[in-house]
Amino acid sequence: MELHHSKHHAAYVANLNKAISSPTSANTQSLIHFNGGGHINHSIFWNNLTPASSPEAAKSAAPTLMQAIEKKFGSFEDFQAKFGAMLLGIQGSGWGWLVLKQGAELDIVTTRDQDIITDGATALIGVDMWEHAYYLQYLNGKAAYVENIWNIINWKYAETRLKGDVQGEFKELKAML
Amino acid sequence: MSVATSARSMLVRASRASSIRSLGSLTAVRSKYTLPDLPYDYGALEPHISGQIMEVHYTKHHQTYVNGINDAQEKFAAASTPAEKVALTSLIKFHGGGHVNHSLFWENLSPANKDGGDPPSGALATAINDSWGSLDNFKGKMNTALAGIQGSGWGWLVKDNTTGKLSIITMPNQDPVNTTQFTPLVGIDAWEHAYYLQYKNVKADYFKAIWNVINWKTAEKRFS
């Protein structure tokens, strides 16, 4: 957590600011896209997590979302299994997301590298599948990382995002990506 | 055709089909991919690449690519429709690419007290000087390319098969070098698993250190 936040996320922020303030190199747009995406994705991710003992980690903190999950995936366990399989199927660096698509339907999708959720969809829960997110603790055992992260998901935050209280976040930055 | 004749010819066809099938399975067994032997011990590249990194990288990551390509190949052989086969191509490219890339990579390395780090000589040295002025300048350019990879991937020194010219390219994830166009000479793994246990987020230090264990003799062989 310390390295991930104080080094990796900090590097995305520093490199984003650098690319914006001196947009001279031929690949400035690519640098803004990559580092801006890294900043947005990690900002959502930290809020997606909470200590396992906190009330926000209980699924009961997200009654509306739970209902929507059951409606879309049949059961919470089916959703978990499907999401887990998708996370483990990522070929390279990337993220897995539970999103609310336009039209108010849930879906699970993956994005590569630091690409963000777009097309009017709202990211509810993001899971970082870059190796730096788990390697020091789990080495190549990413299945255990995926299994354990369920214990620290902030369901209350996901419920808030579902209810649309996050429209407009990073609006200016997203427009630059 | 009488019923008996027709039944006999069906039997013949069936037995021919079954012998073709068993030949097919023999071929499948023979073409199973396996981990290549490492030409040095896990700890032999220290302090530049730790023994723990080498062991996990070789016995876990590379092994997973080997298992993945074998599994995908088996499913591909068993798939009965083109659509099923097409659906498997991404897995074949990823795991097959992972196997190809790592197999080339292990041969690119050698302990610093053996061939590791000894500069190239002969035609390859000349070609590097022609393209970049000096070996150090080339290393700097290659390290910049490696540091610029956005996500997982590889950096390669390659020779163009048509012009013979050297260049530096990067490939995302486990995409292998297009060997119709290029001959890969030196590959450097820029996936986080290649350095994270030792270098953490400071990947620039890994890219600097790895030149101490690059086996230029392998690159010379591939070049010629």
Side-chain angles (χ1 to χ4, degrees):
Chain A
M1 284 301 295
E2 186 176 347
L3 277 174
H4 200 171
H5 181 250
S6 71
K7 301 291 184 186
H8 288 279
H9 190 171
Y12 290 117
V13 172
N15 290 328
L16 172 63
N17 287 328
K18 205 162 100 188
I20 292 172
S21 63
S22 54
T24 48
S25 85
N27 62 343
T28 293
Q29 189 53 44
S30 148
L31 289 173
I32 291 176
H33 180 88
F34 179 66
N35 290 293
H39 177 45
I40 291 172
N41 290 337
H42 285 91
S43 299
I44 297 170
F45 182 56
W46 306 132
N47 285 318
N48 277 143
L49 304 176
T50 189
S53 57
S54 70
E56 290 81 8
K59 293 203 287 284
S60 55
T64 317
L65 178 55
M66 285 304 146
Q67 232 174 16
I69 284 176
E70 277 164 30
K71 191 173 157 219
K72 170 74 184 178
F73 301 98
S75 72
F76 182 77
E77 289 69 30
D78 285 346
F79 154 69
Q80 242 181 342
K82 219 171 156 195
F83 197 21
M86 199 172 252
L87 291 171
L88 297 178
I90 293 175
Q91 296 176 344
S93 299
W95 293 74
W97 303 91
L98 173 65
V99 300
L100 184 68
K101 293 194 296 188
Q102 268 181 338
E105 198 189 341
L106 292 184
D107 201 4
I108 45 183
V109 297
T110 61
T111 55
R112 57 186 289 171
D113 302 328
Q114 294 298 356
D115 287 356
I116 63 165
I117 292 297
T118 54
D119 297 329
T122 305
L124 305 180
I125 296 174
V127 177
D128 191 347
M129 290 306 292
W130 280 60
E131 290 176 318
H132 67 236
Y134 59 82
Y135 209 81
L136 291 182
Q137 184 176 358
Y138 294 98
L139 302 175
N140 64 305
K142 59 182 174 180
Y145 161 69
V146 166
E147 201 182 315
N148 287 339
I149 205 163
W150 292 111
N151 298 312
I152 50 168
I153 293 296
N154 187 329
W155 289 105
K156 187 167 180 212
Y157 181 66
E159 178 92 348
T160 309
R161 296 183 68 85
L162 174 74
K163 290 183 170 167
D165 295 354
V166 291
Q167 291 310 320
E169 66 178 359
F170 301 109
K171 202 173 166 192
E172 281 173 35
L173 179 54
K174 280 182 178 175
M176 294 171 69
L177 302 189
Chain B
M1 197 193 290
S2 74
V3 172
T5 321
S6 141
R8 239 192 338 269
S9 91
M10 269 171 69
L11 269 175
V12 170
R13 272 206 302 274
S15 97
R16 201 179 289 149
S18 98
S19 71
I20 287 168
R21 264 202 304 279
S22 65
L23 258 181
S25 68
L26 263 179
T27 315
V29 167
R30 216 181 295 141
S31 71
K32 277 229 164 189
Y33 296 103
T34 53
L35 269 187
D37 286 336
L38 268 194
Y40 35 75
D41 294 335
Y42 299 136
L45 305 180
E46 291 190 350
H48 309 293
I49 302 177
S50 78
Q52 190 194 11
I53 287 180
M54 288 304 296
E55 185 171 355
V56 178
H57 201 169
Y58 174 77
T59 65
K60 304 289 186 185
H61 291 278
H62 191 168
Q63 184 68 59
T64 302
Y65 294 117
V66 168
N67 296 345
I69 180 62
N70 285 331
D71 187 49
Q73 196 171 244
E74 230 166 77
K75 285 187 179 136
F76 190 87
S80 49
T81 67
E84 282 171 31
K85 288 192 188 285
V86 168
L88 286 161
T89 53
S90 147
L91 277 177
I92 289 172
K93 184 176 181 185
F94 181 66
H95 290 286
H99 179 45
V100 168
N101 290 338
H102 285 91
S103 299
L104 290 167
F105 181 56
W106 306 135
E107 293 175 357
N108 272 141
L109 304 174
S110 177
N113 63 7
K114 289 197 176 149
D115 297 320
D118 292 349
S121 57
L124 178 56
T126 308
I128 287 174
N129 286 335
D130 286 349
S131 292
W132 291 283
S134 71
L135 183 62
D136 280 345
N137 204 28
F138 155 72
K139 287 179 189 171
K141 289 281 190 300
M142 178 106 168
N143 286 1
T144 303
L146 286 162
I149 293 175
Q150 297 177 339
S152 300
W154 291 74
W156 296 92
L157 169 65
V158 295
K159 180 180 88 166
D160 189 298
N161 292 335
T162 313
T163 65
K165 263 199 72 119
L166 297 182
S167 60
I168 295 166
I169 60 171
T170 62
M171 301 298 290
N173 303 321
Q174 294 297 355
D175 288 5
V177 171
N178 174 354
T179 49
T180 311
Q181 191 183 357
F182 296 121
T183 301
L185 306 180
V186 176
I188 294 181
D189 191 346
W191 280 60
E192 292 177 318
H193 67 234
Y195 60 83
Y196 210 81
L197 293 178
Q198 185 175 0
Y199 295 95
K200 303 204 167 76
N201 61 301
V202 193
K203 59 183 175 181
D205 285 354
Y206 159 67
F207 297 140
K208 261 181 236 156
I210 199 167
W211 296 106
N212 296 308
V213 288
I214 290 293
N215 187 344
W216 284 101
K217 286 215 168 71
T218 301
E220 284 169 19
K221 262 183 233 146
R222 290 176 185 164
F223 181 71
S224 60

